[in-house]
Amino acid sequence: NNKYYDKKINDITDILKTDLKNGLTNQDAENRLKLNGLNIIQEKKKVSNIKKFFSQFNDFMVIVLLFAAVISFAMSFIENKNDFADPIIILSIVIANAIMGFVQENKAEHSIEALKKMTVPTAKVIRNGVLKNIPASELVVGDLINIDLGDYIPADARLISCSNLKIDESALTGESIASEKDFSVVLNSDVLLADRINMVYCGSFVSYGRGQAIVTATGMQTEIGKIANMIISDEIGRASCRE
């Protein structure tokens, strides 16, 4: 169970093997980074629009339809009927399908790019008892982070202290009103994301107050990362259906 909002703070420090005052050691952080990877939103390797468009034709059913169109055109030509309605209809369907696939793939890429823009370049972390700024991509689970007014949250984290903290989570929850946070509560395991007042999530914005939290998820394991995964999986699923 890696929800953390349904656990006491002391239990979380035991699970994540971290310290409420000193955070992780540099060696612990380095080992965890090697094990779990960077705190980034991943995306597929980009290809040119031309290659992307023509890849829509790399499908068994599309090839069958193209072959049927060629046969239909040849038969009409051989029989001197000059009736090319059938092959034109087939080709129109194939091209329309390719255009739709191309547009959907572009939308998926743009969605991933939008999610990546919600991440931040640096984070304020306490390691070996020292507060320092590091690249947010190097954050690991168990890191102790400080968050202040005007910050974007660099990773999903469980609050261990806060003062008048309000977080704009509209990008994740759709709620227009900032969420008031309370580190001291322990929630039920079935609480919805918008009601997890003892958690902060990657990409959300500190609109008031400050706090301190333990990182509980990074990269593709964050809530933003899960959305990115769903977008990628949906894109792969559509490709599989075409195949």
Side-chain angles (χ1 to χ4, degrees), residues 167 169 172-175 177-181 187 191-199 201:
I167 307 288
E169 298 175 333
L172 286 173
T173 66
E175 296 283 345
I177 300 174
S179 173
E180 295 187 17
K181 297 297 180 177
L187 303 171
V191 171
L192 297 176
L193 189 148
D195 298 320
R196 298 172 192 170
I197 59 175
N198 57 8
M199 297 285 296
Y201 291 99

Side-chain angles (χ1 to χ4, degrees), residues 65-80:
L65 287 171
L66 288 172
F67 186 72
V70 171
I71 294 297
S72 178
F73 180 85
M75 292 299 296
S76 296
F77 185 79
I78 291 169
E79 295 174 1
N80 202 26

Side-chain angles (χ1 to χ4, degrees), residues 28 36 39 67 74 88 91 121 139 151 189 194-195 207 213 219 221 230:
D28 277 342
N36 299 315
N39 175 37
F67 186 72
I88 290 173
L91 286 174
L139 279 179
D151 288 348
S189 59
D195 298 320
S207 59
Q221 299 305 312
M230 285 191 291

Side-chain angles (χ1 to χ4, degrees), residues 68-207:
V70 171
I71 294 297
S72 178
F73 180 85
M75 292 299 296
S76 296
F77 185 79
I78 291 169
E79 295 174 1
N80 202 26
K81 291 182 177 179
N82 293 324
D83 180 11
F84 304 114
D86 288 345
I88 290 173
I89 291 172
I90 294 172
L91 286 174
S92 298
I93 292 171
V94 170
I95 293 172
N97 179 72
I99 292 172
M100 287 177 62
F102 174 78
V103 170
Q104 288 175 335
E105 198 168 331
N106 267 346
K107 283 183 177 179
E109 285 186 0
H110 292 155
S111 296
I112 298 294
E113 288 174 3
L115 291 176
K116 289 190 73 172
K117 288 178 180 178
M118 293 171 63
T119 59
V120 293
T122 61
K124 290 172 284 191
V125 63
I126 297 173
R127 288 182 180 167
N128 287 335
V130 178
L131 176 64
K132 54 185 176 179
N133 286 326
I134 66 167
S137 60
E138 296 178 6
L139 279 179
V140 296
V141 171
D143 261 330
L144 188 61
I145 57 172
N146 281 6
I147 51 178
D148 296 290
L149 174 64
D151 288 348
Y152 280 91
I153 307 299
D156 291 2
R158 170 65 155 86
L159 288 165
I160 61 171
S161 68
C162 63
S163 176
N164 301 318
L165 185 62
K166 295 181 182 180
I167 307 288
D168 180 355
E169 298 175 333
S170 56
L172 286 173
T173 66
E175 296 283 345
S176 59
I177 300 174
S179 173
E180 295 187 17
K181 297 297 180 177
D182 183 350
F183 74 94
S184 65
V185 300
V186 177
L187 303 171
N188 294 327
S189 59
D190 58 352
V191 171
L192 297 176
L193 189 148
D195 298 320
R196 298 172 192 170
I197 59 175
N198 57 8
M199 297 285 296
V200 291
Y201 291 99
C202 181
S204 53
F205 177 74
V206 182
S207 59

